[in-house]
């Protein structure tokens, strides 16, 4: 092989590789909008903006449901007995160890705010039912206590807490 | 081949001349609005934020009494490529509107303050109500009006426009219309409840002259004239009709660069691949 | 076609697979080893460009369907939601809308190329007729797609085109009612158009497979119209045709991108940004540009039934082209008279398109009648007679001879259209 003929394939290969790489980059860029269009659109995101809930009308012992981002949010006005039950448990013995204090806002111990979706497969639990008088998922029999913690059944984790804060003593903003 | 050349030449002559007669006659009827220069025209054009903000002000103080903008959300006002309000400013604007919501726990509809996620409310509850209020006509929604109005560009402009990227006919028409109110010419009888407008098709327009000098106060020192109001509100409506225009042109330039580079690479690749075929036929 | 394959499965798995489903060798035979005449010019790349456009339309269409609502109360707003709120929705919709235009542009160039080089002649008649069927399916699909945004032009296009069927004697009115699913164009009409608009592109894809199958059975025509006589006169599809097609595809995409990003509404109608109103007809109802020649033919005939028949005949007549053209020479490169009449025909089609956009009055109608008459005379009189009286230039004995004689006639691979509009 002469130097000329060995240099030639190299330059040719470079051209082929460059063309292939640019083509691949272009194809990848073209795929992106097709993927991104399936994410929530701007109006869905905007509609998921924080909502405010007035807690004043909720009587002690009552649980209400509000909808945020299409999901049920449980707001429970717990009785003193329910709070005591939730706090009497040995945290270390729980499947998903969490103290009741970690699950409520300090100074607002009677208010439990949960995403009302079973952590097993997404059913909505019944309120004030089950072995622990908290929440009970009828789909596959998960029992949650008065703090929304999983106690028995197939669910792997406690009912999640949505992001929220108290804007006044009896008003919360979810989101 | 001379007889066949003649056939072609004759056919060309027929094709080019025969239909030109009537087109001139029709063009004379409609008056083309003057083509204005806009900040967002051309491949790198961007909206003038201050102009869009002034245009929104004109819309809110004048147009919105009769015209909806129901496809535009308040959040759009703070989105990139728009009038450039902050989220807080857009929320404050939203709060000045009353939005019908409900039903509440008692099963009743109620009114609440507007939020960023809401769209501009229509000025009337339904079209029949609009008709009853406005002498039998429904004032058109303005959300896409800048794309829904145009005028005949005619030959050869419609071909030249492809290369100059002129696509502001709608906006030019809106400005001309807003400034186009005059007294009707001698002998023209207008139907009751209409005004004479030079640029409106048929000239008898149901909308009374909406603008006058000093009608809307500006805070940025822009002239408070009909001319300025018309341009500002038309610019605002151009954005409302095409809120992603800046992103479109930006991505478009990137795509163009990519395609030209890729086409060039493919051209040389093609030449290389075919090098041993040509010449050895 | 499998005869061309030199594919030999290497690995044991591929050998195992090959015995059970020989798809790899089939693809290899069809798209790698398939011999293409070496003298094809760039006009032959439009088949590949059309495949690309079909793919773009199907992909963008499927994702648009994820956001579109086929209901008279929601269609217009759902399209605007796509434009405003869906991520890259404006891009997808503008690609789909302008893609339809570019699809037709490529199809028309593809057809005119076939006419110029006599690609419909023996043994390619079935190939050509499948192409006419594809054109018909494209027209139907494009029309129904245009109805979906439910603007003023959408609504009135639906009304006018479905009313064409009312011209059919006796059963016409019943057919129109059946098409509408009601006594006027309404929600049932929109809903079924949406369903069919989603279905037909896949029918098109199926016929495209038949079209390509027929092509690979008879082989490609070429600018000389003389069949390749040896392997030396062909090159394998890959890499030669693939790289050439790819180059022109990207050049064509530049054209598409020019409209999508800089003139997205240029090819559309302002009236279609006004929500459909069944009580008010726009001043000028005009179809999309790619239907204008047919629309001009429809309006040129001063009778409802006659206009509809002429419209249908203007497409159907294309299917008879292989038998109406009596010349045994394929390529216009060797047919001096036909070449003139071909270009006149192109001008007639463009002229009809221009007239289709003009109001049907005065001189426009007279011109449209003249050009409509010419359109049909071209097929029914000029082509049959030309074949009998024309003295063709001497044909080369082979592609190689033609290439040696003067480069390739007419179809010499033109210098690339470099330096586009930027």
């Amino acid at each position: 092989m002469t130097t000329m003929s060995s240099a030639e394939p190299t330059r040719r290969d470079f051209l082929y590789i460059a063309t292939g790489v640019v083509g691949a980059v272009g194809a990848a860029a073209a795929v992106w909008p097709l993927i991104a269009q399936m994410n929530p659109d701007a109006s869905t995101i905007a509609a998921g903006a924080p909502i405010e809930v007035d807690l004043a009308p909720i009587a002690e012992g009552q649980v209400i449901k509000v909808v945020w981002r299409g999901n049920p949010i449980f707001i429970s006005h717990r009785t003193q007995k329910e709070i005591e039950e939730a706090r009497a448990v040995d945290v270390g013995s729980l499947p998903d160890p969490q103290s009741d204090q970690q699950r409520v806002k300090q100074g607002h111990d009677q208010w439990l705010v949960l995403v009302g979706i079973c952590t097993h497969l997404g059913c909505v639990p019944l309120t004030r039912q089950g072995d622990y008088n908290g929440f009970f998922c009828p789909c596959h029999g998960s029992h949650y206590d008065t703090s929304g913690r999983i106690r028995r059944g197939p669910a792997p984790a406690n009912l999640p807490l949505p992001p929220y804060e108290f804007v006044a003593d009896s008003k919360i903003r979810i989101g | 081949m001379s007889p066949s050349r003649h056939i072609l030449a004759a056919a060309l002559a027929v094709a080019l001349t025969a239909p030109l007669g009537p087109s001139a006659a029709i063009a004379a009827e409609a008056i083309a609005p003057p083509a204005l220069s806009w900040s967002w025209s051309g491949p790198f054009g961007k909206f003038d934020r201050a102009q869009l903000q002034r245009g929104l002000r004109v819309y809110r103080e004048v147009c919105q009494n009769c015209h909806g903008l129901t496809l535009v959300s308040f959040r759009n006002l703070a989105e990139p490529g728009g009038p450039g309000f902050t989220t807080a400013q857009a929320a404050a604007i939203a709060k000045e509107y009353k939005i019908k919501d409900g039903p509440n726990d008692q099963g009743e509809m109620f009114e609440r303050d507007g939020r960023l996620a809401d769209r501009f409310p229509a000025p009337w509850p339904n079209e029949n109500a609009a008709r009853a209020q406005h002498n039998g006509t429904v004032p058109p929604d303005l959300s896409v009006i800048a794309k829904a109005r145009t005028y005949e560009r005619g030959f050869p402009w419609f071909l030249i426009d492809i290369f100059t990227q002129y696509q502001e006919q709608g906006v030019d028409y809106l400005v001309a219309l807003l400034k186009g109110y005059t007294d009707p010419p001698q002998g023209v009888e207008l139907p009751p409840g209409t005004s004479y407008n030079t640029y409106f098709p048929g000239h008898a327009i149901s909308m009374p002259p909406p603008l006058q000098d000093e009608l809307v106060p500006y805070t940025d020192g822009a002239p408070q004239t009909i001319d300025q109001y018309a341009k500002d509100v038309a610019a605002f409506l151009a954005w409302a009709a095409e809120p992603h225009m800046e992103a479109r042109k930006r991505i478009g330039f990137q795509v163009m660069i990519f395609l030209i580079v890729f086409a060039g690479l493919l051209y040389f690749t093609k030449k290389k691949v075919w090098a041993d075929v040509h010449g050895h036929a | 076609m499998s005869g061309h394959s030199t594919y030999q499965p290497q690995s044991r798995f591929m050998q195992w697979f090959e015995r059970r489903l020989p798809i790899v060798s089939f693809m290899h035979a069809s798209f790698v080893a398939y011999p293409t005449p070496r003298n094809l010019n760039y006009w032959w790349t439009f088949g590949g460009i059309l495949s690309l456009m079909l793919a773009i339309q199907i992909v963008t269409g499927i994702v648009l369907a994820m956001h579109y609502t086929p209901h008279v109360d929601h269609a217009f707003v759902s399209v605007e939601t796509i434009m405003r709120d869906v991520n890259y929705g404006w891009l997808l919709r503008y690609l789909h809308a302008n893609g339809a235009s570019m699809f037709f542009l490529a199809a028309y160039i593809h057809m005119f190329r076939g006419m110029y080089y006599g690609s419909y002649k023996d043994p390619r008649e079935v190939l050509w007729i499948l192409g006419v069927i594809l054109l018909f399916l494209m027209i139907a699909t494009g029309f129904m797609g245009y109805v979906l945004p439910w603007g003023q032009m959408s609504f009135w296009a639906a009304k006018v085109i479905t009313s064409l069927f009312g011209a059919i004697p006796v059963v016409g009115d019943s057919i129109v009612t059946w098409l509408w699913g009601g006594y006027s164009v309404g929600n049932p009409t929109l809903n079924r158009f949406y369903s069919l608009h989603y279905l037909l592109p896949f029918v098109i894809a199926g016929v495209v497979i038949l079209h390509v199958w027929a092509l690979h059975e008879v082989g490609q025509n070429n600018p000389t119209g003389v069949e390749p006589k040896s392997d030396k006169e062909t090159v394998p599809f890959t890499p030669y045709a693939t790289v050439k097609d790819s180059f022109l595809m990207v050049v064509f995409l530049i054209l598409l991108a020019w409209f999508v990003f800089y003139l997205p509404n240029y090819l559309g109608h302002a009236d279609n940004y006004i929500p459909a109103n069944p009580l008010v007809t726009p001043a000028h109802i005009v179809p999309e540009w790619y239907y204008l020649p047919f629309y001009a033919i429809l309006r040129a005939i001063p009778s409802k039934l006659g206009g509809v028949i002429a419209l249908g005949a203007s497409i159907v007549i294309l299917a008879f082209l292989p038998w109406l053209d009596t010349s045994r020479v394929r390529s216009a490169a060797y047919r001096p008279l036909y070449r003139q009449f071909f270009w006149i025909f192109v001008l007639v089609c463009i002229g009809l398109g221009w007239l289709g956009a003009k109001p049907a009055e005065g001189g426009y109608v007279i011109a449209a009648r003249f050009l409509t008459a010419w359109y049909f005379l071209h097929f029914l009189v000029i082509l049959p007679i030309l074949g009998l009286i024309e003295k063709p230039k001497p044909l080369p004995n082979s592609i190689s001879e033609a290439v040696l004689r003067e480069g390739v006639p007419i179809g010499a691979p033109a210098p690339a259209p470099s330096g586009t509009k930027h």
Side-chain angles (χ1 to χ4, degrees):
Chain A
M1 273 212 180
T2 65
T3 37
M4 264 186 74
S5 63
S6 70
E8 185 61 20
T10 319
R11 205 186 307 148
R12 176 187 291 204
D13 290 347
F14 175 74
L15 180 62
Y16 291 174
I17 290 167
T19 307
V21 166
V22 170
V25 168
V31 166
W32 175 242
L34 301 173
I35 295 168
Q37 57 88 20
M38 284 179 66
N39 268 322
D41 72 23
S43 65
T44 309
I45 293 168
I51 56 167
E52 288 190 352
V53 182
D54 184 10
L55 304 179
I58 308 171
E60 194 173 270
Q62 192 188 4
V63 183
I64 67 156
K65 288 180 199 172
V66 295
V67 176
W68 180 64
R69 292 192 171 171
N71 291 324
I73 305 291
F74 292 164
I75 303 173
S76 173
H77 190 172
R78 300 187 295 180
T79 61
Q80 199 54 40
K81 179 169 162 275
E82 285 173 323
I83 299 170
E84 279 162 14
E85 273 175 18
R87 295 188 174 180
V89 183
D90 171 19
V91 172
S93 70
L94 295 172
D96 182 6
Q98 237 183 351
S99 73
D100 186 60
Q101 284 85 343
Q102 285 172 283
R103 296 178 57 80
V104 296
K105 301 282 182 203
Q106 197 176 10
H108 304 281
D109 299 321
Q110 71 273 42
W111 295 108
L112 180 68
V113 182
L114 301 167
V115 178
I117 296 177
C118 180
T119 55
H120 181 219
L121 290 171
C123 295
V124 176
L126 305 171
T127 57
R128 300 178 72 83
Q129 290 198 29
D131 293 355
Y132 301 88
N133 205 26
F135 305 88
F136 170 66
C137 181
C139 288
H140 307 98
S142 293
H143 298 259
Y144 299 89
D145 65 15
T146 55
S147 190
R149 292 170 299 198
I150 182 63
R151 299 293 284 273
R152 201 154 65 74
N158 302 334
L159 290 176
L161 312 174
Y164 74 98
E165 59 183 359
F166 279 84
V167 290
D169 231 20
S170 66
K171 197 171 208 178
I172 57 170
R173 182 193 289 129
I174 302 172
Chain B
M1 289 313 113
S2 85
S4 49
R5 286 252 182 278
H6 283 149
I7 297 173
L8 186 57
L12 256 172
V14 170
L16 289 178
T17 56
L20 281 184
S23 79
I26 285 168
E29 264 179 43
I31 302 157
L36 305 172
S37 83
W38 296 103
S39 66
W40 69 87
S41 60
F44 304 107
K46 284 187 164 48
F47 290 114
D48 175 347
R49 316 274 165 236
Q51 184 174 42
L52 297 192
Q53 296 196 3
R54 292 195 302 270
L56 172 67
R57 186 177 273 253
V58 176
Y59 168 76
R60 294 183 63 199
E61 304 232 344
V62 184
C63 318
Q64 112 180 333
N65 294 319
C66 305
H67 294 276
L69 193 67
T70 54
L71 298 172
V72 179
S73 304
F74 295 111
R75 65 187 153 80
N76 296 148
L77 298 173
E79 283 167 6
F85 287 107
T86 64
T87 307
Q89 285 172 320
I93 291 170
K95 215 167 173 166
E96 292 172 28
Y97 288 81
K98 290 282 172 245
I99 306 292
K100 196 165 192 189
D101 203 346
N104 61 13
D105 294 344
Q106 282 73 48
E108 281 152 15
M109 303 303 282
F110 60 94
E111 283 197 336
R112 58 163 174 80
D113 291 347
R115 303 182 192 128
L116 283 173
D118 292 317
R119 293 178 164 183
F120 280 82
W124 19 263
N126 55 59
E127 288 202 350
N128 285 355
R131 235 174 247 121
Q133 273 174 41
H134 296 286
N135 200 15
T137 55
V138 182
D141 190 276
L142 299 185
S143 310
V144 285
I145 201 80
K147 291 198 285 191
R149 295 291 183 272
T150 188
Y151 62 92
E152 192 74 32
R153 288 287 282 168
F155 182 83
W157 286 105
F158 81 93
L159 291 176
I160 295 172
D161 288 347
I162 295 176
F163 300 98
T164 59
Q165 300 184 354
Y166 174 73
Q167 48 180 344
E168 284 81 36
Q169 298 99 307
V171 200
D172 287 343
Y173 169 80
L174 293 180
V175 175
L177 183 88
L178 289 170
K179 293 163 58 184
Y181 287 87
T182 59
D183 292 328
Q186 283 283 314
V188 172
E189 195 74 33
L190 289 173
T194 63
S195 312
Y196 187 87
N197 191 303
T198 314
Y199 296 97
F200 189 71
H203 301 302
I205 186 169
S206 299
M207 174 168 71
L211 298 173
Q212 59 198 64
D213 289 346
E214 306 293 332
L215 181 67
V216 181
Y218 279 163
T219 52
D220 64 354
Q224 300 180 168
T225 58
I226 290 184
D227 181 67
Q228 191 64 37
Y229 292 150
K231 282 179 187 161
D232 289 350
V233 79
F236 171 73
L237 293 174
W239 165 78
E242 193 76 13
H244 296 295
M245 188 217 69
E246 289 188 12
R248 189 185 82 215
K249 290 182 175 178
R250 190 184 64 242
I251 295 174
F253 184 66
Q254 294 163 350
V255 169
M256 280 292 173
I257 296 290
F258 168 81
L259 287 175
I260 288 167
V261 169
F262 192 33
L265 281 169
L266 276 168
Y267 175 70
F268 289 112
T269 303
K270 186 251 161 195
K271 267 181 81 164
K272 273 264 194 283
V273 168
W274 281 77
D276 48 349
V277 176
H278 290 309
H280 302 282
Chain C
M1 9 204 243
S2 51
H4 309 302
S5 182
T6 52
Y7 172 73
Q8 288 297 333
Q10 295 301 312
S11 70
R12 284 179 61 102
F13 171 75
M14 291 313 288
Q15 286 166 7
W16 178 89
F17 190 72
E18 177 73 13
R19 278 197 303 279
R20 283 151 184 85
L21 181 67
I23 190 169
V24 179
S25 63
F26 174 78
M27 298 305 282
H28 186 269
S30 302
F31 300 108
V32 179
Y34 173 69
T36 63
R38 61 190 304 171
N39 60 333
L40 296 186
N41 58 38
Y42 276 116
W43 299 112
W44 258 266
T45 60
F46 279 85
I49 288 171
L50 282 164
S51 313
L52 173 70
M53 290 315 299
L54 178 62
I56 290 177
Q57 290 305 93
I58 288 182
V59 169
T60 54
I62 286 173
V63 297
L64 286 170
M66 294 181 189
H67 305 281
Y68 170 77
T69 310
H71 187 284
V72 291
D73 293 337
H74 305 295
F76 188 88
V77 173
S78 74
V79 170
E80 277 301 316
T81 303
I82 291 171
M83 292 295 293
R84 287 158 193 275
D85 292 339
V86 173
N87 303 311
Y88 297 100
W90 57 268
L91 173 60
L92 297 166
R93 171 163 180 255
Y94 279 154
L95 266 175
H96 198 71
N98 289 285
S101 273
M102 293 301 130
F103 200 168
F104 273 95
L105 176 68
Y108 289 146
I109 292 173
H110 193 61
M111 288 168 63
F112 279 126
R113 191 269 292 150
M115 290 184 184
Y116 187 90
Y117 292 109
S119 299
Y120 45 82
K121 289 184 193 179
D122 180 24
R124 298 185 177 85
E125 300 95 327
V126 171
L127 175 61
W128 173 261
I129 290 169
L130 286 166
V132 176
I133 293 171
L134 283 170
L135 174 68
F136 179 76
L137 289 169
M138 279 174 65
I139 288 173
T141 309
F143 159 65
M144 289 192 233
Y146 193 63
V147 172
L148 301 185
W150 210 243
Q152 273 289 67
M153 280 294 179
S154 298
F155 181 88
W156 292 99
K159 186 130 193 180
V160 168
I161 301 300
T162 49
S163 295
L164 293 179
F165 294 89
I168 300 169
V170 188
V171 292
D173 286 345
S174 311
I175 289 179
V176 172
T177 308
W178 175 75
L179 285 172
W180 288 346
Y183 302 105
S184 58
V185 174
N187 198 54
T189 323
L190 174 62
N191 225 326
R192 66 191 55 184
F193 277 20
Y194 175 62
S195 170
L196 294 173
H197 182 70
Y198 207 119
L199 166 71
L200 286 184
F202 297 98
V203 177
I204 290 178
V207 179
V208 165
I209 290 172
L210 296 181
H211 192 67
V212 172
W213 185 4
L215 173 74
H216 285 213
E217 198 59 35
V218 295
Q220 276 160 301
N221 186 24
N222 66 76
T224 67
V226 179
E227 298 288 342
K229 294 208 164 52
S230 73
D231 284 354
K232 282 193 163 176
E233 293 182 340
T234 63
V235 289
F237 190 83
T238 301
Y240 295 97
T242 31
V243 70
K244 195 170 171 180
D245 282 1
S246 303
F247 169 55
L248 250 277
M249 279 180 199
V250 174
V251 171
F252 196 78
L253 285 181
I254 293 175
L255 179 67
L256 172 63
W258 184 265
F259 281 97
V260 166
F261 292 106
Y262 296 130
L263 294 160
N265 296 301
Y266 175 86
L267 296 164
H269 294 289
D271 278 325
N272 225 25
Y273 280 108
I274 303 171
N277 182 349
L279 303 178
V280 180
T281 308
H284 294 299
I285 310 184
V286 183
E288 294 287 85
W289 70 266
Y290 36 86
Y291 301 140
L292 287 174
F294 304 112
Y295 192 58
I297 290 174
L298 168 75
R299 296 192 308 181
I301 311 293
S303 116
K304 186 174 180 182
L305 182 59
V308 174
I309 290 174
L311 172 69
S314 66
I315 299 168
V316 171
I317 202 168
L318 292 168
F320 294 93
L321 181 55
W323 296 279
L324 291 169
D325 184 350
T326 51
S327 173
R328 287 171 53 220
V329 177
R330 289 201 188 104
S331 172
Y334 304 101
R335 297 184 61 190
L337 269 180
Y338 172 69
R339 194 157 73 215
Q340 309 299 324
F341 281 101
F342 168 83
W343 287 112
I344 292 171
F345 180 71
V346 172
L347 288 176
V348 165
C349 292
I350 293 171
L352 281 169
W354 188 71
L355 290 168
K358 292 290 163 191
E361 56 196 34
Y364 294 130
V365 176
I366 296 163
R369 287 190 188 149
F370 175 75
L371 295 187
T372 300
W374 188 281
Y375 181 94
F376 286 105
L377 285 177
H378 177 82
F379 290 107
L380 295 174
V381 177
I382 294 170
L383 285 184
I385 291 178
L386 267 188
L388 303 177
I389 63 166
E390 186 180 43
K391 272 214 175 11
K393 287 202 242 174
L395 285 179
N397 290 316
S398 68
I399 293 175
S400 308
E401 188 190 300
V403 171
L404 281 179
R405 203 198 290 162
E406 45 174 344
V408 190
I410 301 300
S418 59
T420 38
K421 287 144 219 164
H422 254 272

